[in-house]
Amino acid sequence: MSTPGIFFLVVGPSGAGKDTLIDGARAALAAGGRHVFAIRVITRPADAGGEQHTAVSEAQFTADEQAGRFLITWSAHGLRYGLPASLADELRAGRHVIANGSRAAIAELAARVPRLVVLHVAAERAALADRIRGRGREEGEQVARRLEREVNLTVPHGVQVIDILNNGTVGEGVEKLLSALDHAQRSLRVVRYPIDTWRERVAYLPPGSVVSAADYLGPGRISIEGDSRSITACVHVAETGPVLADDEIGLSVHAFESLALPQGTRVSIRRTPAPDSRQALREKIQGHPLSEAQYALLLEDILQGRYPDSEVAAFLVAATRSLSDSEVVALARVRASFMPRIDWNEPIVVDKHSMGGIPGSRITLIVIPVVAAHGLAIPKTSSRAITSAAGTADAMEAVARVDLTAAEVRETVRRTRGCIAWNGRLNHSALDDVMNHITRPLGIDSNRWSVASILSKKLSAGSTHVIVDLPWGPQAKLKTLAEASELARLFETVGDALGLVVQAHPTDGSAPIGRGIGPALEVQDVLQVLGNGLAAPADLRTKALTFAGHILAWDPALGSFQAGLARAEELLLSGAAHEKFEQIVDAQGRRPSPVRPAALAHPVHALGNGRIRHIDIARISEVARRAGAPADKAAGIHLAAGLGDEVAGGQVLYTIHASAASDLEAAAQLAEQASGVSQGHS
């Protein structure tokens, strides 16, 4: 059985040109056989001029109406109008009906036809008056009364309305009407299709789709548009169940949620044209530099899903191989434009970033309260761990809320001058989601690309001064001092071009910093440093004070690193930094019970005597993660011995903590295979 046709009701004020446009469409579509143009029955003489119609007397009209020969009738201007009941047969046969009708009849007609689309033709008042006079049926006051007559265009839910402004030539008006007919005939009803394609947006069309599914197959994308929302998706033909009607489009779970329109909403589709940015993509793949304008076009099209993953991957591979300093600046500016900008209205707003990769090293939780206690604004947003045992946000979450809104961050900074929040709700980058979906499985990484990403977020966060920690070492992200120094130069160069004051410092990344590895265990180290405890890890304290000293040197009242370091030590020793940390925790929302290191523990012992020559940071992190970190904030490792320490056989090297016995057993087995701690004789 064929899909029923659409009833197109052409409405609008007198003089809008409805009959003229319909005549033009009739001439254009006559040969196709898919469209039927209704001839109205009117109680008006056949020689009255104007549209072609069937003239009947009042008595005949009443008799036909009582006999059920009309699909619908209405009255206007002292006349009776009717559309033949036979039009319903045309609709059932799959043909589309176009009829000149009354705005007042829309609701009744919608209940009598399978699908009603209203084509609302309008024109400016002067054009309406000229056309009414040109018909020769009304003059003077009659024309004025016609123009004053207004009927509100109200339509039932589900009835599509397409507006056509007919102010131009007849040819232009007919073209608009034909375009509206085509648009409606190609519209489809959205259906949530029960297939989860994860991050891939997929649309499903039935083999007999009204839009000819074969026209949209291929490696490209289609645009799905409706109610001021649109997405792009690739197209599959659904030849098996769930069965789709000919005028339906099924959307995978992710596509349906992305479009965010109710099921049954009418949408239109079109093949996404080759993006304007395609030439830029090709140039980058060939190794050529791109301008900021080219990156703006290209990244927007990538973000909107207008390229298949294969082409995005090729672009990213090329970008990892060749990005000039000016391109990194351009990328940072473009990326920042995709995120909301926070304006703090302060001369100095500080931020800190670390390239990470080193277990422990939770200096941020010390630096922020030191700097805030001095009085500089330092709204710090941090990430959660991806491959490590803890990120800054994971550690802070052991004692306080970190999923703050922008308003909550502002309030926290207003009250305490600092915060340590998760960046997922603040300067989250949708572009990163798209890129990471491709880069992580392929292992694509680029320090230069990372500089653009990091500094774009600092720019959008309203920072004016940024300090960057660049750990380097055999197992760090940066392998050599030369590599770290070159990246420091790039950070500072790009920052300057963006109007930021950036200092980047290469640091020792050959071993863990501090004793704890895992959220609660790292916070334990932090609190020992802030509390000036005798057991506080000296390396963590020294590194935190060094970075705090560099930051405080930006205060014109201090002006040098030596003065900044002295001030940082003063704030730490006096307890002001510890007090500030507790204020920040309270402002963000203190946990009712802070997370403590898990009670289940397993010691890992040295196999013999000797000095610790190497700590395998990748292995140590893997053991901590196997114990449950960072998802289990109580899990992780506490190091009992550090690099260079002399240990005896049987001495505890580190203790594994876990909340579940199965996790503890799995981590202990991993440590037994290889502890990650290497010894050598003195």
Side-chain angles (χ1 to χ4, degrees), residues 180-198:
L181 292 170
D182 182 68
H183 174 79
Q185 288 162 208
R186 290 180 173 274
S187 73
L188 301 164
R189 288 181 292 131
V190 169
V191 173
R192 188 182 189 277
Y193 213 59
I195 295 181
D196 189 348
T197 54
W198 195 50

Side-chain angles (χ1 to χ4, degrees), residues 133 151 207 334 344:
R133 283 191 290 268
V151 178
V334 171
W344 294 95

Side-chain angles (χ1 to χ4, degrees), residues 190-385:
V190 169
V191 173
R192 188 182 189 277
Y193 213 59
I195 295 181
D196 189 348
T197 54
W198 195 50
R199 297 193 57 80
E200 185 75 9
R201 289 181 295 207
V202 181
Y204 299 89
L205 294 173
S209 175
V210 296
V211 298
S212 180
D215 291 345
Y216 295 93
L217 293 175
R221 298 287 201 269
I222 63 168
S223 290
I224 303 170
E225 303 167 348
D227 290 352
S228 301
R229 296 191 60 83
S230 68
I231 61 168
T232 57
C234 61
V235 181
H236 292 180
V237 171
E239 295 186 349
T240 59
V243 176
L244 291 167
D246 291 352
D247 67 338
E248 289 181 334
I249 181 169
L251 299 184
S252 65
V253 173
H254 180 57
F256 185 82
E257 292 174 351
S258 298
L259 187 59
L261 291 175
Q263 194 159 249
T265 301
R266 285 279 173 182
V267 297
S268 62
I269 69 172
R270 60 182 176 84
R271 181 170 287 284
T272 302
D276 294 337
S277 61
R278 183 167 294 282
Q279 183 59 35
L281 181 139
R282 288 173 178 161
E283 288 182 17
K284 193 67 221 173
I285 290 175
Q286 293 166 5
H288 302 302
L290 300 182
S291 67
E292 184 175 332
Q294 287 176 304
Y295 275 119
L297 286 172
L298 180 54
L299 294 187
E300 175 65 24
D301 284 340
I302 289 174
L303 185 60
Q304 295 302 323
R306 296 185 178 122
Y307 287 105
D309 287 356
S310 58
E311 291 186 89
V312 177
F315 161 70
L316 290 171
V317 169
T320 62
R321 294 174 178 167
S322 62
L323 276 180
S324 66
D325 287 5
S326 61
E327 285 183 283
V328 177
V329 173
L331 277 168
R333 286 199 180 112
V334 171
R335 291 175 64 99
S337 71
F338 295 151
M339 295 178 280
R341 178 77 180 265
I342 300 175
D343 184 7
W344 294 95
N345 195 30
E346 295 209 24
I348 297 178
V349 178
V350 183
D351 206 338
K352 173 197 165 291
H353 183 82
S354 173
M355 292 298 283
I358 309 302
S361 195
R362 201 53 58 212
I363 69 169
T364 297
L365 272 64
I366 302 168
V367 171
I368 272 64
V370 169
V371 173
H374 177 70
L376 292 181
I378 184 162
K380 173 68 178 138
T381 61
S382 303
S383 62
R384 299 186 190 277

Side-chain angles (χ1 to χ4, degrees), residues 357 359 387 475 614-625:
T387 59
Q475 291 182 286
H614 174 65
I615 298 178
D616 186 330
I617 60 179
R619 186 65 170 185
I620 290 291
S621 293
E622 186 180 4
V623 173
R625 287 180 67 86

Side-chain angles (χ1 to χ4, degrees), residues 446-499:
S446 167
N447 288 331
R448 299 180 75 81
W449 184 274
S450 295
V451 169
S453 173
I454 292 163
L455 291 184
S456 69
K457 291 176 182 177
K458 304 308 179 189
L459 196 63
S460 68
S463 303
T464 62
H465 294 64
V466 180
I467 195 162
V468 184
D469 179 12
L470 300 175
W472 65 274
Q475 291 182 286
K477 293 179 181 178
L478 306 172
K479 304 303 180 187
T480 66
L481 177 58
E483 185 181 6
S485 297
E486 168 55 25
L487 194 60
R489 181 204 64 79
L490 181 63
F491 262 112
E492 293 175 1
T493 299
V494 174
D496 184 62
L498 296 173

Side-chain angles (χ1 to χ4, degrees), residues 45 69 151 153 158 161 175 197 343 379 415 420 476 513 566 581-582:
R69 297 190 182 100
V151 178
L153 185 61
V161 177
E175 184 177 343
T197 54
D343 184 7
R415 290 170 56 186
I420 305 168
I513 304 292
F581 179 78
E582 297 299 333

